[in-house]
Coordinates of all heavy atoms in Angstrom, one line a residue:
N175 N 255.1 111.5 204.5 CA 254.7 112.3 205.6 C 254.5 113.8 205.2 O 253.5 114.4 205.6 CB 255.8 112.3 206.8 CG 255.9 110.9 207.4 OD1 254.9 110.3 207.7 ND2 257.1 110.4 207.5
E176 N 255.3 114.3 204.4 CA 255.2 115.7 203.9 C 253.9 115.8 203.1 O 253.1 116.8 203.2 CB 256.4 116.1 203.1 CG 257.6 116.2 203.9 CD 257.6 117.4 204.9 OE1 257.0 118.4 204.6 OE2 258.2 117.2 206.0
F177 N 253.6 114.8 202.2 CA 252.4 114.9 201.4 C 251.2 114.7 202.2 O 250.2 115.3 202.0 CB 252.6 113.8 200.3 CG 251.7 114.1 199.1 CD1 251.6 115.3 198.5 CD2 250.9 113.0 198.5 CE1 250.7 115.6 197.4 CE2 250.1 113.3 197.4 CZ 250.0 114.5 196.9
L178 N 251.2 113.8 203.2 CA 250.1 113.6 204.1 C 249.8 114.9 204.9 O 248.7 115.3 205.1 CB 250.3 112.4 205.0 CG 249.1 112.0 205.8 CD1 247.9 111.6 204.9 CD2 249.5 110.8 206.7
E179 N 250.9 115.6 205.3 CA 250.7 116.9 206.0 C 250.0 117.9 205.1 O 249.2 118.7 205.5 CB 252.0 117.4 206.5 CG 252.6 116.6 207.6 CD 251.9 116.8 208.9 OE1 251.2 117.8 209.1 OE2 252.0 115.9 209.8
N180 N 250.4 117.8 203.8 CA 249.7 118.7 202.9 C 248.2 118.4 202.7 O 247.4 119.3 202.7 CB 250.4 118.6 201.5 CG 249.8 119.5 200.5 OD1 248.9 119.1 199.8 ND2 250.4 120.7 200.4
A181 N 247.9 117.1 202.7 CA 246.5 116.7 202.6 C 245.7 117.1 203.9 O 244.5 117.5 203.8 CB 246.4 115.2 202.4
L182 N 246.4 117.1 205.0 CA 245.7 117.5 206.3 C 245.3 119.0 206.3 O 244.5 119.4 207.0 CB 246.6 117.2 207.5 CG 246.6 115.7 207.9 CD1 247.7 115.4 208.8 CD2 245.3 115.3 208.5
E183 N 245.9 119.8 205.4 CA 245.5 121.2 205.3 C 244.1 121.3 204.7 O 243.4 122.3 204.9 CB 246.5 121.9 204.4 CG 247.9 122.1 205.0 CD 248.9 122.8 204.1 OE1 248.5 123.4 203.1 OE2 250.1 122.7 204.5
H184 N 243.6 120.2 204.0 CA 242.3 120.3 203.4 C 241.3 119.6 204.3 O 240.1 120.0 204.3 CB 242.3 119.6 202.0 CG 243.2 120.3 201.1 ND1 242.9 121.5 200.4 CD2 244.5 120.1 200.7 CE1 243.9 121.9 199.7 NE2 244.9 121.1 199.9
S185 N 241.7 118.5 204.9 CA 240.7 117.7 205.8 C 241.5 116.7 206.6 O 242.6 116.3 206.2 CB 239.7 117.0 204.9 OG 238.8 116.2 205.7
N186 N 240.9 116.4 207.8 CA 241.5 115.4 208.6 C 240.7 114.1 208.6 O 241.0 113.1 209.2 CB 241.7 115.8 210.1 CG 240.3 115.9 210.8 OD1 239.3 116.1 210.2 ND2 240.4 115.9 212.1
R187 N 239.7 114.1 207.7 CA 238.9 112.9 207.5 C 239.3 112.1 206.2 O 239.4 112.7 205.2 CB 237.4 113.3 207.4 CG 236.9 113.9 208.7 CD 235.5 114.4 208.6 NE 234.8 114.0 207.4 CZ 233.8 114.6 206.9 NH1 233.3 115.7 207.4 NH2 233.2 114.2 205.8
F188 N 239.7 110.9 206.4 CA 240.3 110.1 205.3 C 239.5 108.8 205.2 O 239.1 108.2 206.2 CB 241.7 109.7 205.6 CG 242.7 110.8 205.4 CD1 242.8 111.8 206.3 CD2 243.6 110.7 204.4 CE1 243.7 112.8 206.1 CE2 244.5 111.7 204.2 CZ 244.6 112.8 205.1
C189 N 239.3 108.3 204.0 CA 238.8 107.0 203.7 C 240.0 106.0 203.8 O 241.0 106.3 203.3 CB 238.1 106.9 202.3 SG 236.6 107.8 202.2
F190 N 239.8 104.9 204.4 CA 240.8 103.9 204.4 C 240.2 102.5 204.4 O 239.3 102.2 205.2 CB 241.7 104.0 205.7 CG 242.8 103.0 205.7 CD1 243.9 103.2 205.0 CD2 242.7 101.9 206.5 CE1 245.0 102.3 205.0 CE2 243.7 100.9 206.6 CZ 244.9 101.1 205.8
R191 N 240.7 101.7 203.5 CA 240.2 100.3 203.4 C 241.4 99.4 203.6 O 242.3 99.4 202.7 CB 239.5 100.0 202.1 CG 239.0 98.6 202.0 CD 238.4 98.3 200.7 NE 237.6 99.4 200.1 CZ 237.3 99.6 198.9 NH1 237.7 98.7 198.0 NH2 236.6 100.6 198.4
E192 N 241.5 98.6 204.6 CA 242.6 97.7 204.8 C 242.6 96.5 203.9 O 241.5 96.0 203.7 CB 242.7 97.2 206.3 CG 243.9 96.4 206.6 CD 243.9 96.0 208.1 OE1 243.1 96.5 208.9 OE2 244.7 95.1 208.4
T193 N 243.7 96.2 203.2 CA 243.8 95.1 202.4 C 245.0 94.3 202.8 O 245.8 94.7 203.6 CB 244.0 95.4 200.9 OG1 245.2 96.0 200.7 CG2 242.9 96.4 200.4
S194 N 245.2 93.1 202.2 CA 246.3 92.3 202.6 C 247.7 92.9 202.0 O 248.7 92.4 202.4 CB 246.1 90.9 202.1 OG 246.1 90.9 200.6
R195 N 247.6 93.9 201.2 CA 248.8 94.4 200.5 C 249.1 95.8 200.8 O 250.1 96.3 200.3 CB 248.6 94.2 199.0 CG 248.4 92.7 198.6 CD 248.3 92.5 197.2 NE 249.6 92.8 196.5 CZ 249.7 92.8 195.2 NH1 248.7 92.6 194.4 NH2 250.9 93.0 194.7
N196 N 248.3 96.5 201.7 CA 248.6 97.9 202.0 C 249.0 98.1 203.4 O 248.7 99.1 204.0 CB 247.5 98.8 201.5 CG 246.3 98.7 202.4 OD1 246.1 97.8 203.2 ND2 245.4 99.7 202.3
N197 N 249.9 97.2 203.9 CA 250.3 97.3 205.3 C 251.1 98.6 205.6 O 251.1 99.2 206.6 CB 251.1 96.1 205.7 CG 251.3 96.0 207.2 OD1 250.3 96.2 208.0 ND2 252.5 95.8 207.7
V198 N 251.9 99.1 204.6 CA 252.6 100.3 204.7 C 251.7 101.5 204.9 O 251.9 102.3 205.8 CB 253.5 100.5 203.5 CG1 254.2 101.9 203.5 CG2 254.6 99.4 203.4

Side-chain angles (χ1 to χ4, degrees):
N175 294 311
E176 292 294 325
F177 199 45
L178 191 55
E179 289 292 334
N180 182 271
L182 282 166
E183 293 177 14
H184 298 281
S185 178
N186 70 336
R187 297 175 10 204
F188 285 71
C189 291
F190 181 77
R191 181 184 323 157
E192 185 177 346
T193 70
S194 62
R195 299 181 72 185
N196 71 346
N197 195 48
V198 173

